[in-house]
Amino acid sequence: IKNSAISTYNDSISQLLLYCKNIWVSNPDSIKNIIRELKPGDTLYVDSGQITVDFALNQLGDASQPIVIAGSPNMKTIFTGNNSSISSCSNIHLKNIIFSNRSGKNIVIQDSSANIKFFNCQFLNSKQNGLEINHKSLVYLENCIISNNQGHGINCINRETKLIVKNVLISQNQQNG
């Protein structure tokens, strides 16, 4: 018998155990340095807190071994700063991160990136777009919130972009969703 409440509970316990067993990073310089060195199968765990960090991610993960950047399971990992980019990447997963109060765009995906997945992420209060996709890319959003950005919530500049969304709230952005 499949019970969604039990499944959700088990997922929560798994996340808590994961949180307690791993080394979590919160220093902005350490985060940027570690991001540059990530390889397929690596996971960077970013601890709770408001962290002013801009990063440029340009690595290639593997379909069976993606590169993962995971915030704390209690949704208290907040990236502030200017903006961050994901460029010419594939198989990158970002989980449990709030991108908020950034003076530029929260995240820019560019140069034909593929299989970029955001799980339980929030794109809030950016001075520009919440999420911008500049080139033909394949992007997944699941259980995300995109809200209160001064530009578009999501701005897909290339018509060949494939954006797959599941359970995503897009609201109160000053321009289009």
Side-chain angles (χ1 to χ4, degrees), residues 61-66 90-91 93 115:
D62 184 86
S64 63
Q65 293 187 312
S90 65
N91 302 299
H93 296 183
N115 294 321

Side-chain angles (χ1 to χ4, degrees), residues 34-45:
I34 292 169
I35 284 176
R36 283 193 284 269
E37 302 297 323
L38 292 173
K39 295 177 179 49
D42 286 349
T43 299
L44 168 60
Y45 298 99

Side-chain angles (χ1 to χ4, degrees), residues 109-113 133 135-139 160-162:
I109 300 173
Q110 52 197 13
D111 299 330
S112 300
S113 294
I133 307 168
H135 294 91
K136 178 181 174 183
S137 296
L138 175 58
V139 178
E160 295 183 52
T161 293
K162 292 183 181 171

Side-chain angles (χ1 to χ4, degrees), residues 129-130 146 149-155 170 172-177:
N129 300 321
I146 303 168
N149 296 291
Q150 291 182 16
H152 299 284
I154 302 173
N155 189 18
I170 303 171
Q172 300 178 341
N173 298 291
Q174 289 188 8
Q175 295 185 26
N176 295 325

Side-chain angles (χ1 to χ4, degrees), residues 25-37 44 46 51-55 79:
V25 180
S26 61
N27 177 290
D29 291 329
S30 296
I31 292 169
K32 286 196 278 191
N33 291 334
I34 292 169
I35 284 176
R36 283 193 284 269
E37 302 297 323
L44 168 60
V46 183
I51 304 162
T52 301
V53 64
D54 298 322
F55 61 85
F79 284 178

Side-chain angles (χ1 to χ4, degrees), residues 14 18 22-23 28 31 35 53 56 64 85 93 98-99 104 108 124 126 140 143 148-150 157 165 169 171 177:
S14 296
L18 180 70
N22 291 293
I23 297 171
I31 292 169
I35 284 176
V53 64
S64 63
S85 65
H93 296 183
I98 299 171
F99 301 94
V108 178
L124 309 172
S126 170
Y140 297 86
N143 298 326
N148 294 316
N149 296 291
Q150 291 182 16
I157 294 174
V165 297
L169 173 65
S171 71

Side-chain angles (χ1 to χ4, degrees), residues 12 15 19 52 72 79-80 90-91 107 112 116 132 153 166 171:
S12 299
Q15 285 291 315
Y19 184 74
T52 301
S72 67
F79 284 178
T80 62
S90 65
N91 302 299
I107 293 284
S112 300
I116 309 303
E132 183 168 300
K166 179 180 178 185
S171 71

